[in-house]
Amino acid sequence: AWTIGEVDSLEAGMRGGSSNGGGRVAQVYAVVDYTPFDFTLATSPSEGAVVQGANTTTNATATLSGGIAQNVVMGTEGCPAGAACTFSPSSGSPTYSAILTVTTGGVTPGVYGINLTVVGGGVTRKAAYVLTVEAPFDFNVSVDPSLAYVYPTQTASAEVSVAKVSGASQQTNLSLSGCPTGAVCVLSQSSGYPTYVAALNVTPSCSTPEGWY
């Protein structure tokens, strides 16, 4: 398929009297593509979730829908502050696909709308991608009461609270250190998913030295 301009140039050359071995071309037959260049843009998936500091990807596909393929360039609008949005490859001729990678190192947790844009041949197309940045998992630990007095063979009890602060809950492990010599220190559970509460029981023996622990 030739453009109209190419056909016009070819016809003008023939009218100028080009010959080959005494022969002369009388007619020029050409197929002219009058369909303007156009394409569509789609993302898959169109949304994603990632923990702050991690990377996520989506596929962007520019599909030729009319005319002759031309080079186009991919980019983004609305890339979150503190993030990096990069395409690989960043340009090509539809139909072609690229991978958008979003790095969320310095992004504040929240929901963000990112527009993927493809520009080329006088055409601009956009597709939406919704990114959810989640806070990383964190928790704190507290003991109530934090101080107890106890005599040998008696038991001091406390509650150990493991409370989720942010992010999706993950398994945590509880352990003890510093149990007094001769005493028995027991946790009611050794692991769990915050928020949860475990019981701590400390029973000193007659051989346990007096003091603060």
Side-chain angles (χ1 to χ4, degrees):
W2 294 337
T3 65
I4 297 175
E6 290 171 335
V7 173
D8 289 343
S9 298
L10 182 59
E11 289 178 338
M14 295 307 168
R15 288 196 297 271
S18 299
S19 61
N20 185 2
R24 191 176 295 275
V25 177
Q27 287 181 307
V28 175
Y29 294 93
V31 177
V32 181
D33 191 345
Y34 289 98
T35 306
F37 170 60
D38 200 3
F39 59 89
T40 60
L41 176 63
T43 59
S44 179
S46 60
E47 60 183 29
V50 64
V51 176
Q52 182 186 39
N55 300 343
T56 188
T57 61
T58 186
N59 293 314
T61 301
T63 303
L64 184 68
S65 60
I68 301 172
Q70 300 184 41
N71 190 68
V72 296
V73 177
M74 288 195 174
T76 59
E77 296 175 347
C79 188
C85 300
T86 57
F87 281 99
S88 179
S90 60
S91 63
S93 298
T95 296
Y96 92 102
S97 295
I99 297 176
L100 170 65
T101 300
V102 182
T103 304
T104 63
V107 179
T108 301
V111 179
Y112 299 89
I114 302 174
N115 278 326
L116 284 65
T117 64
V118 181
V119 180
V123 180
T124 298
R125 293 288 178 261
K126 298 182 180 182
Y129 178 72
V130 179
L131 173 66
T132 301
V133 179
E134 301 172 345
F137 172 58
D138 195 9
F139 61 92
N140 57 36
V141 180
S142 61
V143 180
D144 185 31
S146 59
L147 176 66
Y149 298 90
V150 66
Y151 292 100
T153 71
Q154 294 183 340
T155 298
S157 298
E159 289 187 342
V160 180
S161 298
V162 183
K164 186 182 76 169
V165 174
S166 63
S169 188
Q170 301 179 34
Q171 181 171 305
T172 58
N173 297 317
L174 277 175
S175 62
L176 292 171
S177 62
C179 187
T181 301
V184 177
C185 301
V186 179
L187 283 167
S188 62
Q189 66 186 88
S190 59
S191 64
Y193 290 81
T195 296
Y196 66 94
V197 177
L200 169 63
N201 293 315
V202 180
T203 306
S205 67
C206 292
S207 63
T208 301
E210 182 179 352
W212 294 96
Y213 298 92

